[in-house]
Structure formats: structure tokens, C-alpha cells
Amino acid sequence: MDFAYSDEQKLLRENTIKFARASLNAHVVERDREQVFSRDLWQECAKVGIQGLPVPEAYGGTALDALSCAMVLEALGYGCRDGGLVFSLCAHLLACVVPVWRHGSEEQKRRYLPGLCDGTLIGAHAITEPDSGSDSFSMRTRAERDRDGWRINGSKTFISNGPVADVAVVFAVTEPAKGFHGGVTAFLIESDTPGFSAGQKFEKLGLRTSPVGELVFTDMYVPPSAVLGQVGGGSAVFSTAMDWERCLLVASHVGTIERLLETSISYARTRNQFGQAIGKFQAIAHKIADMKVQLEAARLLAYRAAWRLENLRNASLDAAIAKLMVSESLLKTALETVHVHGGYGYMVEYEVERALRDAVGSTIYSGTSEMQRNIIGRWLGL
Ligand SMILES: Cc1cc2nc3c(=O)[nH]c(=O)nc-3n(C[C@H](O)[C@H](O)[C@H](O)COP(=O)(O)OP(=O)(O)OC[C@H]3O[C@@H](n4cnc5c(N)ncnc54)[C@H](O)[C@@H]3O)c2cc1C
């Protein structure tokens, strides 16, 4: 595994950072305060190909390999200070676009991918329910055979992009006796389908520019062409989404960690107390040294996970390891960045407290840290 940037990857990184800094950061404090999701910025990102990074060009994508995608998302997390926007883009790309690309019929790919890649359509991924989060396999949403199609009843919660989504990957039980492996089916559903409604939009601690809400399905009829993958094959669709999300969403976190490290270094060099820069105090320098160590380890794990996703048949263990380590490093780095900034770090104006609020979610979504440890334990035969 050679993770040295190729010339093309270097250029992608530079261009993404330049784009993010120039186009995505204005008024981020206000957007965060008012919880505004910006469709204009979404469109700007589509113009540079973010929403379709790994998708073949024939369907409107950029056709990058997984490692190059990780490098672009890292650059986005580094250059873009709007963590909610980056999160919404990743949820759309990794948990909706990728499953459609990997499991969709030719008709589904032709119908949805161009719009999902060019910014016209926003995607969501809906598995969590009010009574089933970590234990998502115990979902209650049911799809029952009706004529040649399916009638779906149930509700989903905490769905990223749910309040603005045009299309959603929705999981429902189709054969209860079979359990998750064989008994759950993924459906690709347009939000204007009769019986589909976006319920409550939640106010949340961080990632406030990324809309999160409920989806409710009431006697919703969908034709057989709405099945994504195979009937009973929901677990395969879910695994694809989780592998991509856990491997690549964390790449954006690596970029955020690097930005926070640089912010901390710069502040520690210029803030004077007791007649010297605070970075000269070993207690502060050690905090920042730990951030650097976490950044380097996180980057290697994220790149390795992305490489394995592209090159091996199964990357679930690497995905869990990368997700656990990088999200916890992000949270620690964000907290220490606030500490390095002292009281200023606690104030909205310095844009450091927002990074901490945003970072908390990373240890919950896409499976909590405890669930990642459970997955790793299972792989170790425990
Ligand atoms: C910002 C954000 C965005 C999200 N986006 C989406 C989305 O787009 N689509 C979607 O479907 N869902 C989404 N979710 C939901 C997310 O996947 C769930 O919140 C998460 O899986 C945890 O489920 P829960 O909230 O029900 O917590 P619970 O499962 O009730 O867990 C509560 C606590 O118990 C622990 N716990 C539970 N079971 C075990 C166990 N077996 N061993 C050890 N500890 C355990 C958990 O780790 C946690 O600490 C999002 C959540 C957040 C915060």
C-alpha cells in the first residue's frame, strides 16, 4: 500500500481546499445558529463533482477510486468550516448514492444517479427507528406484498437530509421469520410518493446546518421497481452503505483534525501569558503533540480502510477500526482545541466550540463507538 499522493491526487486535494475555502465558509456562524441548510452551497459542491465522486462517468459521476475519494473528502473537511454541510454531503454520497450505484438496477441507476450527482436530487438513508438504533435489525417498519408491489408502514428517525430529501433508501421488514439476513429489503423511494412524509425536523447540538428528521410511511404503495438490490437483500445494501460511510466519512474528519491542529498551533504561538507564548508551556505543547500523533494515525487508518474498500472483498473490520479511532480522535482534538484557546475557545466567535459540538455526533452516527468495538470484538472471535 503506497499512500504517496499521485500528481492527480495532489491536484484534486489542492483544488478541493481552494474551492472549499473560497465558496463554502461565508456566514457559517449564522447558518449554524439559524440551522440553515444551504441548497445553493449544495449546488456549488455538485459543480465540482463532490456528490458523485466514485460514480462512473456514464451516470454523471467523477469515477474516482475509493482512496482518491477519501483524499477529496479529507480536503473538503480541511477547507470547509461548515461541518454540517460536509456531513450532509457525505450522508448523501456514501449512504444513498453508493448503494444505488452498487446495488441499483440499470433502470434505477439511469433514473437517479445523474440527478443525485448533479445536485438536483438530495439523498437520504433511513434505517434507524424510534425503538431501534444500535439494534437496527429489530426494526418495525413493514413492507407487505400488495398486488405486484409493496405497501409500507412505519417510521424512521434521526435521518440526515430527511427534511430535504428527494429520494431515500428505506429499509423494511419483508419476511419477519427470516430476521435481518433475508427478511429485510431496501427500497429506493421518492419523497413525493403518496404516503411518504417528512415528520419532525430535530434541533440538535452540532452539525446544525445538516437537517435531520423523521420519515413517516403511511400505507405507502411502491412498485416492484422500487426494490434496491434483491427482495430480502437489505442487509447487503446496508453493509455496503456502512462500509463506505465508515471508511470515507472519517476521511473528512481527518481533514477537520488537521485544521484544528493548525488552529491550535497558530493560537499557541501568538497567545502570551506569563510573558511567553502559551505554546512554550509543556502542558500546552503536549496537548498539541498528541493532536499531531492522532492526526497521523487517523490518516493512515482512513487511507488503509479506503484502499481495502477498493481492493479487497470485505473491508468491514477496517471500516469499524477506522470509524472508531478517527471519530474518537476528532472528538479529543476538538475538546483540546477548546482548552488550548481557553475562554476564547468557549465563545462562538472563535469557531472552535462549533467544531466540538459537531465532533460529538461522529461517535454516534454510523454506529456508536461501543458498536464499533462490538464489531471488532466479533471479528476477533469474542
Ligand atoms: C447526527 C446524526 C445523524 C444520523 N443520521 C442517520 C441517518 O442518516 N440514517 C439513520 O438511519 N440513522 C441516523 N442516525 C442515527 C444513528 O445511527 C443512531 O443514533 C445510532 O445508531 C445509535 O442508536 P440510538 O440513538 O437508538 O441509541 P441506542 O442504540 O439506544 O444506544 C444508546 C447507548 O447504548 C449503547 N449501546 C446500545 N447497544 C449496545 C450494545 N450492544 N453494546 C454496548 N453498548 C450499546 C450505545 O452505544 C449508546 O451509548 C443519526 C444520528 C445522529 C446523531
Side-chain angles (χ1 to χ4, degrees), residues 18-90:
K18 231 183 271 171
F19 159 74
R21 284 180 170 160
S23 310
L24 305 179
N25 290 336
H27 311 298
V28 57
V29 171
E30 293 75 15
R31 285 203 305 280
D32 177 74
R33 185 181 299 132
E34 306 298 330
Q35 302 186 81
V36 174
F37 168 77
S38 169
R39 190 101 203 197
D40 290 345
L41 296 185
W42 186 268
Q43 216 54 54
E44 291 304 307
C45 291
K47 282 187 202 155
V48 298
I50 305 285
Q51 283 91 325
L53 285 174
V55 174
E57 285 168 2
Y59 303 113
T62 316
L64 293 184
D65 61 274
L67 180 57
S68 300
C69 291
M71 289 168 175
V72 172
L73 293 177
E74 178 189 355
L76 188 70
Y78 177 71
C80 177
R81 300 202 311 273
D82 184 341
L85 177 65
V86 174
F87 178 70
S88 265
L89 288 162
C90 286

Side-chain angles (χ1 to χ4, degrees), residues 141-200:
T141 297
R142 291 274 182 277
E144 287 170 341
R145 292 257 183 208
D146 184 350
R147 289 164 284 157
D148 59 337
W150 301 87
R151 185 137 330 251
I152 303 181
N153 280 288
S155 67
K156 302 288 177 181
T157 195
F158 304 149
I159 306 307
S160 301
N161 299 339
V164 294
D166 302 290
V167 53
V169 176
V170 174
F171 294 84
V173 175
T174 42
E175 218 175 316
K178 286 194 173 166
F180 191 65
H181 298 284
V184 170
T185 300
F187 296 87
L188 188 58
I189 302 174
E190 294 175 25
S191 60
D192 59 5
T193 305
F196 184 115
S197 58
Q200 188 191 167

Side-chain angles (χ1 to χ4, degrees), residues 87 91 124-130 132-135 157-161 204 207 212 361 364-371 374:
F87 178 70
H125 173 103
I127 191 158
T128 305
E129 299 184 359
S132 58
S134 302
D135 184 15
T157 195
F158 304 149
I159 306 307
S160 301
N161 299 339
K204 57 192 184 324
L207 302 170
V212 167
I364 300 173
Y365 52 67
S366 222
T368 63
S369 289
E370 290 77 16
M371 294 310 290
N374 288 352

